[in-house]
Amino acid sequence: MDIETINRILEKYPDEPGTLIGILHEVQNHFRYLPEEELRYIAKKRNVPITQIYSIATFYNRFSLRPKGKNVICVCMGTACHVKGAGKVLEELKRRLGVEVGGTTDDLRFTLEEVRCIGACSLAPAVVINEDTHSQVTPKQVVKLLDEYD
Ligand code: FES
């Protein structure tokens, strides 16, 4: 367990109700997920039930209890993207990465997720990788797209 990192994060937040979300955000940013041991340590230090932490962790989509890849791929499966072939792009990504939606490659390089309309319907089908939005993606472009990310 990385106690040093957790202590550093805890020091930034007063021991008050309402600070847990901020703490969990930082833990998620640092580890790219919320590791169980670290969550138990936070619960103990802040004297809150671990169930309270888990209820926050499972309520917000942004949090993950499983390790995520260095690069998170979100394929938009909203109506506009679906109509323009997002399903085929998703199938190609699944095939190339060898994971299902929600899965992470063994080398922790990629996590594959799907989302509903990211508000960029004119770019359909859209794929967001980390902070980058890729427009009008075709299955043929998938390999090149993946190569852009280490
Ligand atoms: S449906 Fe994909 S961006 Fe709106």
Side-chain angles (χ1 to χ4, degrees):
M1 183 175 69
D2 188 350
I3 288 186
E4 232 176 77
T5 298
I6 299 298
N7 283 340
R8 208 175 47 241
I9 292 171
L10 288 174
E11 276 167 19
K12 290 166 49 181
Y13 293 84
D15 192 354
E16 291 168 1
T19 56
L20 271 178
I21 292 180
I23 293 167
L24 295 186
H25 269 292
E26 292 216 24
V27 174
Q28 170 80 41
N29 284 346
H30 183 83
F31 296 96
R32 296 202 300 270
Y33 80 113
L34 301 175
E36 184 182 342
E37 251 192 293
E38 277 74 357
L39 294 186
R40 291 194 180 280
Y41 180 73
I42 291 167
K44 203 168 139 202
K45 292 287 274 187
R46 286 296 156 110
N47 204 21
V48 295
I50 185 71
T51 49
Q52 188 181 336
I53 292 188
Y54 275 116
S55 69
I56 296 171
T58 52
F59 183 78
Y60 294 97
N61 281 347
R62 192 205 172 303
F63 295 134
S64 173
L65 295 168
R66 285 183 296 167
K68 282 202 181 195
K70 185 177 171 201
N71 304 292
V72 178
I73 304 171
C74 294
V75 180
C76 179
M77 292 299 287
T79 307
C81 288
H82 180 73
V83 168
K84 295 262 182 140
K88 286 188 178 146
V89 174
L90 182 62
E91 285 309 312
E92 184 65 5
L93 280 163
K94 287 199 293 196
R95 198 172 71 80
R96 292 279 172 189
L97 297 173
V99 297
E100 290 299 315
V101 171
T104 297
T105 56
D106 290 341
D107 61 2
L108 293 180
R109 191 170 156 218
F110 292 107
T111 292
L112 181 61
E113 296 181 342
E114 60 176 49
V115 288
R116 300 281 156 198
C117 191
I118 55 167
C121 304
S122 60
L123 306 179
V127 174
V128 178
I129 304 181
N130 306 331
E131 311 296 323
D132 312 325
T133 302
H134 298 274
S135 58
Q136 292 154 357
V137 178
T138 66
K140 277 189 180 165
Q141 292 171 337
V142 161
V143 173
K144 196 167 159 270
L145 203 58
L146 295 177
D147 281 347
E148 288 177 28
Y149 296 87
D150 293 334

